[in-house]
Amino acid sequence: MNKAMNAHDSGELSYDVVIVGAGAAGLNAALLLGRARRKVAVIDAAEPRNAPAGHMHGFLSRDGLPPAELLELGRAEITRYGVRLIADRAENISHQSAEDGGPAFTVRLAGGQVLGARRILVATGLRDELPDLPGARERWGKDVLHCPYCHGYEVRDQPLAVLGTHPGAVHQALLLRQWSDDVLFVRHTLDLTPEDRDRLECHGLRVIDGTIDRLAVEDGRLRGIELTDGRALPRAAAFLVPRMVPQDELLTGLGCAKDDGGWVVTDRTGRTSVPGVWAAGNVIDPRAQVVTAAGMGSAAAFAINGDLTEEDVRRSVERRRPARPHSARSEAARPNDAHLNGARANDAHPEAERPEAGRSHAGRREGAGR
C-alpha cells in the first residue's frame, strides 16, 4: 500500500485521501478508494439530509430501505477495507505544497485532531431551508414532501397540495399530476404568470388563490391546509420546494470557483478548480438522489486514485534518476531550464483537466429543468 505523504509527519495523521461527509457520495468514494488500497479517512458529522425520511426510493436493490440503514451498511463495508471513520466535524482545510510541489492539505477537526492529506473529497451535502409555515418542519419528510420521484408513489391517488412558496412549485405541481388526479396548487405568496396559471389548469390542477396560515396537523398526521381567510383544504400530503443551500464552506475556504448561481464548479469527475480537491453529491448538485450521489462518489474515487497514481509514478521516476553534477558551467549551458520546467508543470496539470468557469452541475440542472 502506498504511504501517505511525508509533508504532515509532525505529529499529524497522514492519509492519501480525507473525505469530508459520510453520506452516499462520501461512503461510496471511500469504498472504491479502500479497495484500491489507499489510506483513507472519512469525517462523519452524522447530519444526513434525508434523516427525516422513513424510507428512500429509486435505488436499485435498496428501494424502500430506511436511509439510516443504508449508511450503517456502508460504514460497515468501508471499514472492511481499512478505511478509518472519524465521528467529528471538519472545521477548516488549509492548502499548501508538498516538498516535491504536489498538493498537500491539513484538515482540522472540531475535536482538535489534525489530519494530513494528499487529496481531499468534500461530500458535505446541502441543507433544506423551509418556509416559515407552522407544521412544515414538524412533518418534513413524512407527509410534507419535496421530491415526487422519492415520495410520489407512496401518496398516489390521494388528495395532494403543492404550496406556492418557491418559483419551482409550478414545475413540481405539473409533475405531480402523474401520481394523482386530485392536486391543488395553493398560490400563497407566489406570483403566477397567466401562462403558468393556464398550464396548471389545462393539466387538470385547481389553483387556489389565498395565503397559507398553517398546515393542520392532528394525531401525528397532516390533515390539510388552512388559509388566512378561514378556508380549510383537506389534504393527505403537501409538497413544497425548499431553498437548497450547499454546505460548501470548506470548498469556499479553499478558493474553489463557483458559477453564477453560487454552486461550486467541477468537471465530470467532481474535480474542482483547486488542484487536489474534489466534490461530490448534493454539495454540488441539489438534484442528486441517493443513487446519483453514490455514483458521483464513485466517479470521484476513480479520478482521485488515478491522480495519485500519476503522482506516485512521477516520484518513482525521480527517485531512480541519477543525480546530475551541479556547476556554474552546466547552469550557463542551460539558460532555458526555467522555461522548460514551467512547460513540464503545465503538462502535469493541463488546463483541459481543470473545470471551466460556468461549467457546473447547476448549468446542467437548468437544462434538465426546461
Side-chain angles (χ1 to χ4, degrees):
M1 184 187 300
N2 289 312
K3 297 292 184 182
M5 61 183 300
N6 295 324
H8 299 284
D9 284 347
S10 58
E12 302 170 6
L13 294 173
S14 295
Y15 295 89
D16 289 315
V17 187
V18 168
I19 299 172
V20 186
L27 291 178
N28 210 44
L31 179 64
L32 269 292
L33 289 166
R35 287 178 53 81
R37 308 190 71 188
R38 292 295 179 182
K39 189 176 180 183
V40 181
V42 178
I43 313 304
D44 183 6
E47 296 177 345
R49 178 192 181 194
N50 58 2
H55 303 88
M56 64 173 198
H57 296 278
F59 199 136
L60 189 64
S61 82
R62 293 294 181 265
D63 190 70
L65 191 72
E69 189 172 333
L70 177 75
L71 298 183
E72 183 179 352
L73 291 169
R75 288 191 289 264
E77 287 182 354
I78 66 172
T79 55
R80 291 205 299 265
Y81 296 103
V83 174
R84 185 184 178 205
L85 193 64
I86 303 173
D88 207 333
R89 180 187 304 278
E91 289 196 331
N92 175 265
I93 302 176
S94 58
H95 179 211
Q96 62 274 338
S97 293
E99 293 177 0
D100 63 356
F105 303 90
T106 298
V107 183
R108 299 186 182 277
L109 306 185
Q113 195 169 5
V114 179
L115 311 178
R118 297 170 65 187
R119 300 294 184 271
I120 295 290
L121 172 60
V122 176
T124 45
L126 60 78
R127 68 178 181 272
D128 293 311
E129 293 188 351
L130 304 182
D132 187 18
L133 292 174
R137 175 60 65 183
E138 177 186 349
R139 300 304 301 165
W140 182 242
K142 301 174 180 67
D143 40 28
V144 175
L145 309 164
H146 164 231
C147 175
Y149 298 103
C150 303
H151 304 288
Y153 191 81
E154 283 60 50
V155 295
R156 65 193 182 280
D157 300 325
Q158 298 184 47
L160 308 177
V162 175
L163 311 185
T165 59
H166 186 281
V170 172
H171 177 67
Q172 186 184 52
L174 293 171
L175 285 176
L176 277 167
R177 269 293 276 113
Q178 187 69 24
W179 283 272
S180 175
D181 292 333
D182 185 2
V183 182
L184 300 181
F185 186 90
V186 185
R187 190 172 64 81
H188 190 48
T189 57
L190 187 67
D191 289 329
L192 279 180
T193 67
E195 180 185 2
D196 281 340
R197 183 182 289 269
D198 188 54
R199 293 176 72 217
L200 289 165
E201 292 176 345
C202 288
H203 200 51
L205 291 92
R206 187 155 63 99
V207 177
I208 304 297
D209 290 304
T211 304
I212 299 168
D213 180 51
R214 71 183 186 102
L215 308 186
V217 178
E218 296 176 9
D219 301 324
R221 288 180 54 191
L222 178 73
R223 297 298 181 178
I225 315 298
E226 294 184 0
L227 306 183
T228 55
D229 61 10
R231 284 180 291 170
L233 310 171
R235 297 285 99 179
F239 284 75
L240 62 83
V241 179
R243 179 173 177 262
M244 301 177 202
V245 181
Q247 299 182 137
D248 60 4
E249 294 83 2
L250 295 173
L251 295 167
T252 301
L254 285 165
C256 296
K258 292 188 174 186
D259 63 16
D260 292 341
W263 293 83
V264 169
V265 178
T266 70
D267 68 8
R268 290 179 298 175
T269 72
R271 186 196 304 258
T272 72
S273 60
V274 175
V277 179
W278 273 257
N282 283 149
V283 71
I284 56 172
D285 185 356
R287 289 185 65 181
Q289 291 185 298
V290 177
V291 66
T292 317
M296 295 169 76
S298 177
F302 275 53
I304 291 170
N305 186 60
D307 196 45
L308 286 169
T309 299
E310 288 298 318
E311 185 172 273
D312 294 337
V313 171
R314 175 174 57 80
R315 290 175 175 174
S316 297
V317 170
E318 289 173 353
R319 283 195 298 267
R320 290 287 298 274
R321 277 189 188 137
R324 296 179 181 178
H326 181 85
S327 69
R329 181 177 180 180
S330 63
E331 288 296 327
R334 297 196 306 272
N336 292 322
D337 267 7
H339 170 73
L340 293 175
N341 287 336
R344 291 190 192 102
N346 289 336
D347 289 342
H349 301 284
E351 190 62 32
E353 293 292 322
R354 300 282 171 251
E356 298 173 4
R359 182 184 177 191
S360 68
H361 291 272
R364 292 193 286 277
R365 284 194 302 276
E366 292 174 2
R370 292 186 184 277

